[in-house]
Amino acid sequence: IRRVRANHDDQVTRSRLDELYRHCADLGIDVAWRDLGQRRGEYRDAERLIVLNPALTEPQVVASLAHELGHCRFRDTCSTPRNERRAWQYAAALLLTPHEYRRAELLVGPHAGAMAVELGVTVRLIEAWRDWWQTRGRHLHSTLDGVR
C-alpha cells in the first residue's frame, strides 16, 4: 500500500480499513493482493475472494475494498454499469455517515477533492456518496430522525 500525505487523520483511514477487514472475515470473504494492472480490485463470487492491487494508496484501498464488498453483497458475477453504480453506492454508504460528510463539507467546502482528502477516501467515493444520498440516503435519514 502506498502512503499519501493528507490533511485527515491517518488513524481514521486505518480504522476504516480494519473495520472492512473484520467485515470481510465475518462474511467469510478472503482478501488477496495481486498485480491487476490498471484495475484496483475485483470480486470473485465463486471463490468468495476480493483481490486488490498492491499499488493502491490507503484511501484507494479503503474505497476499493468497500466497493468490492458491495459486489459481494449483491452477489455480482459480472461488471455492468448498474452493478458498478450499486457497488459504489454501497461502499459510500458503508464508509461515510451523513454526519461525517456534513462535517467535512463545513470544514473544506463542497469540492469533492478537498472532501476526499479530509475524509481519507477517494473522489470517486465522495461522488458515489452524493449519488447514494440523492437516490436513497436522504429518505432513510429522514425516517430515522424521529427514532432517536
Side-chain angles (χ1 to χ4, degrees):
I1 300 173
R2 291 186 304 133
R3 299 221 184 259
V4 291
R5 194 83 176 123
N7 294 335
H8 78 282
D9 181 357
D10 285 338
Q11 188 60 39
V12 171
T13 301
R14 278 188 229 103
S15 176
R16 281 191 178 121
L17 190 53
D18 289 343
E19 287 177 30
L20 289 172
Y21 281 134
R22 281 193 297 276
H23 190 52
C24 288
D26 289 344
L27 295 172
I29 302 293
D30 290 324
V31 178
W33 298 86
R34 296 196 183 99
D35 182 359
L36 297 172
Q38 294 297 318
R39 292 179 305 129
R40 293 182 179 186
E42 63 185 33
Y43 172 64
R44 299 177 185 173
D45 189 58
E47 300 171 57
R48 304 287 289 164
L49 175 68
I50 292 174
V51 180
L52 296 172
N53 192 327
L56 300 177
T57 64
E58 285 184 34
Q60 289 171 332
V61 169
V62 168
S64 297
L65 183 53
H67 171 83
E68 298 307 331
L69 278 166
H71 287 304
C72 170
R73 162 63 182 87
F74 298 108
R75 303 299 299 261
D76 294 335
T77 57
C78 65
S79 177
T80 66
R82 178 180 177 270
N83 290 353
E84 292 304 315
R85 180 178 185 219
R86 186 174 60 184
W88 277 116
Q89 286 183 351
Y90 179 89
L94 182 65
L95 291 173
L96 299 176
T97 67
H99 175 76
E100 289 173 307
Y101 182 91
R102 192 175 316 119
R103 184 188 61 76
E105 194 172 44
L106 288 171
L107 284 171
V108 299
H111 186 271
M115 290 186 67
V117 169
E118 178 63 30
L119 291 166
V121 297
T122 62
V123 170
R124 179 68 188 96
L125 198 85
I126 296 298
E127 293 166 350
W129 194 92
R130 290 172 177 170
D131 187 31
W132 169 79
W133 181 255
Q134 290 302 313
T135 58
R136 289 183 196 81
R138 63 190 168 104
H139 304 293
L140 173 64
H141 187 66
S142 64
T143 62
L144 293 177
D145 282 340
V147 175
R148 297 180 216 266

